[in-house]
Amino acid sequence: NAGVTQTPKFRILKIGQSMTLQCTQDMNHNYMYWYRQDPGMGLKLIYYSVGAGITDKGEVPNGYNVSRSTTEDFPLRLELAAPSQTSVYFCASSSIRDSYSNQPQHFGDGTRLSIL
Amino acid sequence: AQSVTQLGSHVSVSEGALVLLRCNYSSSVPPYLFWYVQYPNQGLQLLLKYTSAATLVKGINGFEAEFKKSETSFHLTKPSAHMSDAAEYFCAVRRDMGRRALTFGSGTRLQVQP
């Protein structure tokens, strides 16, 4: 009963370093998303994917890259970390089955990332 | 583009008092609306979702929300607050059918005083 699993939970990076935030879901969901949450703000969409091999930009994609080689995994890559990328990152997934319904998204517990 | 506005970044109530968290949406068509709760250091959990079947939606933990088209509102209520309700609450709307991503309000932090 894992749902959406994110690793690591916490990370501190130096400016200019790179890292990959991992996200895995075991619900066979086609849709996956990456959001960032800044203090006092709602979540902003970074990238999303509608299925393996298909990704697209969200509202705030600059400085990030994603890939979707399998249905289960949707890693988020930071190539050159900047202080502005200090945030809490959430991965989410949802089902394709209910095309016309309000199928909710399932969220991971987040990765808290600090860039110093 | 669809969006949501949450009025009040912080709400404080006494234990046992009514909880009212406000959310207004901007949409020209009936939207897909959600309320999520976030406890400290955790991800978001779905409280309830709006379906066109009923304007009054009941969720988990005694919460409910009423969809009012005339007021473009989807306020969250709970008759009697409990200490365990202290958390951050987000109203969200599905932005478009294609990507199915959610647009979130800025959140309301609920404090419950003993």
Side-chain angles (χ1 to χ4, degrees):
Chain A
N1 198 21
V4 179
T5 302
Q6 292 184 238
T7 56
K9 294 189 183 302
F10 305 93
R11 185 73 183 269
I12 298 174
L13 283 182
K14 294 182 179 178
I15 295 171
Q17 286 185 320
S18 62
M19 78 164 292
T20 299
L21 282 65
Q22 302 291 344
C23 176
T24 298
Q25 53 92 8
D26 62 359
M27 296 171 282
N28 201 33
H29 285 170
N30 287 79
Y31 289 79
M32 295 189 74
Y33 312 84
W34 275 105
Y35 294 91
R36 60 177 286 172
Q37 182 183 28
D38 298 316
M41 307 286 287
L43 281 69
K44 301 290 186 184
L45 182 66
I46 305 172
Y47 270 96
Y48 70 101
S49 169
V50 301
I54 307 171
T55 63
D56 206 348
K57 297 177 180 179
E59 299 173 80
V60 289
N62 292 343
Y64 307 94
N65 278 300
V66 294
S67 60
R68 184 93 181 271
S69 57
T70 67
T71 298
E72 295 78 18
D73 300 308
F74 190 41
L76 177 71
R77 178 83 176 165
L78 283 71
E79 292 293 351
L80 290 171
S84 61
Q85 293 177 305
T86 293
S87 189
V88 182
Y89 292 84
F90 288 100
C91 180
S93 70
S94 64
S95 170
I96 197 175
R97 289 178 299 156
D98 298 292
S99 299
Y100 302 104
S101 78
N102 48 1
Q103 188 72 8
Q105 295 183 357
H106 301 261
F107 285 82
D109 287 340
T111 294
R112 284 148 186 82
L113 180 62
S114 294
I115 315 293
L116 304 175
Chain B
Q2 296 187 23
S3 66
V4 288
T5 302
Q6 291 184 244
L7 298 176
S9 58
H10 289 83
V11 170
S12 182
V13 301
S14 298
E15 192 172 19
L18 171 72
V19 176
L20 171 61
L21 305 181
R22 300 177 187 274
C23 173
N24 288 87
Y25 66 91
S26 64
S27 173
S28 59
V29 297
Y32 297 122
L33 289 161
F34 307 81
W35 274 100
Y36 283 85
V37 60
Q38 184 181 31
Y39 298 103
N41 299 317
Q42 294 187 23
L44 279 70
Q45 300 176 27
L46 181 69
L47 269 180
L48 51 82
K49 60 182 180 180
Y50 169 67
T51 69
S52 57
T55 56
L56 184 62
V57 182
K58 294 188 183 298
I60 62 172
N61 301 339
F63 283 93
E64 61 184 33
E66 186 172 8
F67 176 75
K68 291 187 176 180
K69 186 177 179 180
S70 61
E71 299 178 6
T72 60
S73 68
F74 191 56
H75 301 331
L76 182 71
T77 61
K78 183 174 180 178
S80 178
H82 191 273
M83 296 296 290
S84 61
D85 295 327
E88 186 141 22
Y89 293 80
F90 292 94
C91 182
V93 63
R94 174 166 294 156
R95 189 162 48 182
D96 61 72
M97 289 301 296
R99 62 173 64 176
R100 300 191 184 190
L102 297 174
T103 297
F104 288 85
S106 56
T108 298
R109 184 166 297 279
L110 176 66
Q111 291 182 316
V112 182
Q113 308 291 341

